[in-house]
Structures are given as C-alpha cells and as structure tokens.
Amino acid sequence: MDIPPELASGAIKAFLASQYDKKTETEQKQLVKAIESNDSVLIDSLNEKLAVAQEKYSITSFIPDAATRMAKQLNFGTHISKGIHPDAKGDNVSFDAENYLPNTLVGTHSIVSRYIDANGNAAALPLAAFFDFEVNETIKIRDLILTDNADFIASLTSHKETSDTYHQTFKTALQNIITEPVTHERNKQTLWVTNAYQGVDREQLDYINVIPLYPSVLTHEVYQRINHLKFSDENKAARDNRFKKTAEQRPYVSLNQLATIQLGGTKPQNVSLLMSKQGGRNYLLPSMPPIIKRDYAYHLSKFATSIFSTGMEYNVREALDSIFKSVKNSRNIVDIRDARKRAIDEVLYQVFANAENIRTTLPAGWSKDYDLDRCEKLWLDPKRADMTGEEDFKAERESNDSWHGQIMHRFARWLNTLLQAEFKALARDFGDAEHLEWEREIEDMKKRYERAGKGVFL
C-alpha cells in the first residue's frame, strides 16, 4: 500500500480531530458568541465541556477504550444475522470469495465494496467510524490495520508492546474469523441433502444446515447506486429539462417497479450500522420468471424498397394484434385509448430496435447494393457517410432533416394500410386524421429516444 509515513501516522489524530469538531460544533459556536458578549460564566461552562470532549477524543483516551471495550462489543461482517430478525443473536460473517463463482450468479462476489457492516452495542459504534475513516481518497484506517502498516501501528501508543496488542485487537475484530459459528433460534434454517441419490431410505440421508444471513454490504451498495441514479443533481436536472424547449435535452434515468422493505422498524440502528444509514429502507428489484416468446427475427431483403414491409409486419405481429384488438373495442374510454397508445409504442419500439440492429451490425456502405428508398438508406446506413467517395451521401444526410419526415410519413402510411386491410369494412375511416396521428406518435417516440441519448435518426 503506497501511502506517505506522515499520513499513516497522522490518521488517528485526523480522525479524532474530526470527531471532536463534529461532536462539539454547537458548543464551539456558542463559545465564540460568549466571547463576543464577554459572558464569563458561559465561557467557563463551555470551556469545561470542551475540555471533557478534548480528553475523550485524545489518543490516550480513545484508543485504549476502543481496543479494550468497543472491540468486544461490536460484531463486524458483510453478512449480518440481525438482518434476518432483529432479535437474532447469531454470528455475522465476513464474506471472502476464495473459489470462482460465475457471473451469472449475482451476490457479494459481484461487487468490490469499501463498506463493512457492524452491530452490537450502539455506544461502541465510534469504533466502526474509526475503522471507516478515510485517510485519503483510496485508503481507510481499516486498510492500514489489515495491511499491518508500521507507521500507523506506532502511532497507536508510544509503548510498542501495547501498540502491537491494540493493533492485533483491531485486526481480529475486522477479520471476524469464525472457527465455531453460532446461530440463534431466530435465524432461519434450511436442511440441505448432501447424498440425495445415494441413500436408500430417509434414515441414510445426510444433511448440512444452511443458515441464510442478510448480505447488508451488497444491499447497501445497491441502495447507494440506485439513490445516485435517482437523485443525483445531473439526473434531476435532465428530468426537469424535458419539458423546457430551450433547455439542453440530456438522457435521464427512471426506475419503475421498485419496491422497498423496512427492516428494524423505527430503530434500524438495532439491526446494523449500514441499516441505520439507510433508515431501514431496502430496495426490492422485480424478480420474475423469464417470458419466452416466439422468434420473429426481422431480415432485410436486398430487393425491399422499405423496411415497412411484410417482413416487419411479421416481426411486430404481437404488438399489431394489440392495436387491432383496441380498434375492435368500440368504447371510446381512457383505458381503451391508453391500450392503443401502448400498443403503437410497442410497434415503434420494435421498429426502432430492428433499425438500430441494422445500423450497428451491417458494414458501412451495405445500402449501395440494396433497393431501399433513399431516405431509408440515409437512416439505416449512417457509417456510409464516413466512406471515401460518399461525400454527397454525407452532405445529404447532414444538411437537413427532411428525410426524417419522409420516414415518419412512410411509417404512418404502412400502419394505415395494415389497419385498412384488417378492417375492410372500416377502411375509409382510416384517413388523413389517423395518418397524422401515427406521424405524431413516431415524432413523439423520436423525441423520447433523443432524451434517452439514443438518437433514432443520428
């Protein structure tokens, strides 16, 4: 670990100074005002309180107390027993992936976290803050402890033997090596058969007892990352700008179908340190089985003049059926109108997905050998603009966006034609008004993609 000696040896003083300032902020402000008003009684009282705090956060007081009392009253780990039940008194476990685990399994092994959790006596939590104190941007005090940093160890106390004892106490608490794990009646238990295909009858089966613990470091990482995605200044500004015509449109994140579960009731600190920081709130992501669908893969024909063809109709068949179903329902109510809009959006999503697949997977200039209409070549073969000898193509693509309107018009005409074919008796009802509505839908979808940074026509 590359760290200057003076930074390692000064880590404890820096931590204690930060704690002193944090805990006595109010008294220090009151002292300044008392001095200004020359209130000698109040000055003496505040100085007395600050002297007590100064003594409490001195190396000679804090370190011995942390090593002899706090270290025995806190249990550290990445997986905590109380996350399963607040009254559980089983061991916490510090996870360390010694064996390879595949990326298809999501767990604590999937992250590189700088968090560590702890629970126990709340009065001993300053020790957790001590371990978690950042010496610089990449190193915490616990890193100095676990790597046996000599400069840090020497700063614990001037007596070498005592200093080594304190260091070993802190290191043991952090490592949390368990040789005889202890569980509790409040923990859940799962009996797992180890010889299911070997035993002849039930009495011959062997079991191991699996005790699930709560992966609080993993869930805290998820909690922090989701909160950053949702509430960062950049995301909030991008979301607020979506309806401002003159503001810069940037992609923003929306997280739907997100539920929470509360652990620890009104006292999440009883569960653990990280749970207290979360206020007991834990995010729940959707957990549903996969939906298996038929493969309607779209293949562009070399002789097709448009992607809005029979092949595309087949590719988006399910979404089209939803549109037809909504049209059959003669009731003009909000639910029906919303269902039709969702179905049209789904058609557009799939059209754009197919277009993006063509744009990104086919080689530059592929469209020169295809019969596609010019506007669709400009859309679907963007890399051709960078080829030598394609200056006209590039100029035509970038000089104006009139070809955008042509594509919207072709989509609207294609959808109207499908509706007229499906509802022959109502064919005359699908006229200019519907055509304009489909164009507005694709225009709206184009803006949504641009806000998401995808840029359908870029």
Side-chain angles (χ1 to χ4, degrees), residues 45-57:
S45 174
L46 290 170
N47 277 330
E48 187 176 338
K49 290 182 180 177
L50 291 173
V52 172
Q54 193 83 46
E55 173 62 22
K56 180 180 179 181
Y57 294 108

Side-chain angles (χ1 to χ4, degrees), residues 33-53:
K33 292 182 179 178
I35 292 174
E36 291 174 351
S37 60
N38 200 24
D39 188 340
S40 58
V41 176
L42 184 57
I43 291 173
D44 291 342
S45 174
L46 290 170
N47 277 330
E48 187 176 338
K49 290 182 180 177
L50 291 173
V52 172

